Amino acid sequence: MSPSAFAELTDGILTEVSRVIDGKPDAVRSALVVLLAEGHLLIEDVPGVGKTMLARALAATVDATVRRIQFTPDLLPGDVTGVSVFNPVEREFEFKPGAVFANIVIADEINRSSPKTQSALLEAMEEGQVTVDGRTHPLPDPFLVVATQNPLEMEGTYALPEAQRDRFMMRISMGYPDPAAEVQMLRERDTANPLSALTPVLDARRVRELISWARRVHVSAPVEQYAVALAQATRAHPDLRLGASPRATLQLVRAAKVWAALEGRAFVIPDDISALLVPVFAHRLIPTRATSVRGRGGPDTVTAILQRLIATVPVPLSSGA
């Protein structure tokens, strides 16, 4: 597959999803990057701005198995991963797969369930498998979790623990649509569901081919060192008590490979790294208590810190590509 062929196939997905998600090309592109980089996506925003619609639209463009889990306070871990049930005929326990057994899993309002239920996704998101009663069961390939969450200040929410947030490759925010897009939405969705008009662009086999091709995108040593330097800068920053993990650095480079491929390139440049730094790193970083006390501990503060790091960490002059 050539870079131009990769870009042509992925453009078809972007075009199809954009038919439903009006005026949010960056969010649509980020979702596709996460899918092809074998990561997981966290979408955080207020209710009603299209978080679940984006996840369902992406799933509709891929001819693969899709399951949706509505996270509620009474949801149990077994509802997610599956349970062992005794079969009286065979006189043995047999495994009944849970809702996580699908190529694309939509975890709707993930932070409305208890931390115990949230933790049921940890093994699945990291290793592509679940372990129930000592037996390991592999998940379908490809496997993508698209989770939505409401802001923590809203009623009935539980904060995602650090280990859970670190499993997500990116966190994005939808934001409110612009007036023109909102008017267009009123006209189009008053009479029909836009999801019903979407048609699959690729099947699971073709998605695996795109993933395999993106893995081979070239990353030169200077670009790798640039990504590591940005990660180390977060760990040494005086306003941050938790910096980026090695997993974050790895996922930053993986996402940059897909980002470059979407641009029709078979190599990563420093601009790919800097363009993805905020969505890949921001949700993993925690400001110090002193920073929070001063009233500068919100997401905007973390974003500002990352933007300053982009401006101060030396950029390699040549990628060697």
Side-chain angles (χ1 to χ4, degrees), residues 75-97:
L75 187 72
L76 299 176
D79 298 329
V80 177
T81 60
V83 295
S84 294
V85 179
F86 184 73
N87 187 331
V89 177
E90 301 292 336
R91 300 184 63 82
E92 63 181 15
F93 284 91
E94 60 183 36
F95 178 67
K96 298 294 184 182

Side-chain angles (χ1 to χ4, degrees), residues 62-300:
V62 179
D63 188 12
T65 55
V66 180
R67 300 288 292 273
R68 179 178 179 271
I69 309 173
Q70 180 64 55
F71 279 73
T72 56
D74 60 347
L75 187 72
L76 299 176
D79 298 329
V80 177
T81 60
V83 295
S84 294
V85 179
F86 184 73
N87 187 331
V89 177
E90 301 292 336
R91 300 184 63 82
E92 63 181 15
F93 284 91
E94 60 183 36
F95 178 67
K96 298 294 184 182
V100 77
F101 282 81
N103 293 116
I104 299 177
V105 176
I106 303 172
D108 209 10
E109 296 184 305
I110 187 173
N111 61 337
R112 289 191 60 213
S113 65
S114 67
K116 181 178 181 179
T117 302
Q118 293 175 14
S119 66
L121 284 173
L122 289 176
E123 182 186 13
M125 294 173 66
E126 180 65 17
E127 303 177 33
Q129 64 182 32
V130 296
T131 302
V132 178
D133 294 337
R135 296 185 61 182
T136 299
H137 306 274
L139 295 170
D141 181 31
F143 176 67
L144 167 70
V145 173
V146 180
T148 70
Q149 73 168 354
N150 297 328
L152 291 179
E153 59 269 19
M154 291 193 167
E155 295 288 341
T157 60
Y158 299 83
L160 294 182
E162 291 84 352
Q164 183 83 55
R165 294 201 305 269
D166 201 42
R167 291 320 198 265
F168 287 101
M169 175 173 281
M170 284 192 202
R171 183 191 65 185
I172 63 173
S173 176
M174 297 293 292
Y176 290 108
D178 59 66
E182 194 163 3
V183 169
Q184 185 73 11
M185 178 190 69
L186 293 176
R187 293 173 180 171
E188 294 180 350
R189 302 187 188 183
D190 189 44
T191 57
N193 183 354
L195 289 172
S196 60
L198 294 183
T199 57
V201 178
L202 303 173
D203 57 15
R205 179 189 63 82
R206 198 61 167 158
V207 170
R208 286 193 294 268
E209 291 177 2
L210 293 176
I211 291 173
S212 178
W213 192 91
R215 287 176 185 166
R216 298 192 295 271
V217 170
H218 177 67
V219 184
S220 66
V223 173
E224 291 176 336
Q225 293 164 4
Y226 178 56
V228 171
L230 287 167
Q232 290 181 332
T234 66
R235 300 164 193 164
H237 199 282
D239 288 337
L240 296 175
R241 64 182 176 90
L242 180 63
S245 66
R247 181 191 286 119
T249 312
L250 177 62
Q251 293 188 345
L252 175 62
V253 174
R254 286 179 177 173
K257 288 183 176 183
V258 178
W259 190 272
L262 293 179
E263 296 290 333
R265 284 184 278 106
F267 56 90
V268 175
I269 61 176
D271 285 349
D272 301 327
I273 299 292
S274 59
L276 292 165
L277 188 68
V278 171
V280 174
F281 274 14
H283 62 288
R284 310 168 192 263
L285 309 182
I286 300 179
T288 61
R289 288 184 175 87
T291 303
S292 300
V293 168
R294 292 195 301 268
R296 299 189 294 108
D300 292 342

Side-chain angles (χ1 to χ4, degrees), residues 23-35:
K24 299 294 178 183
D26 292 340
V28 174
R29 185 185 179 95
S30 296
L32 181 58
V33 168
V34 171
L35 171 63

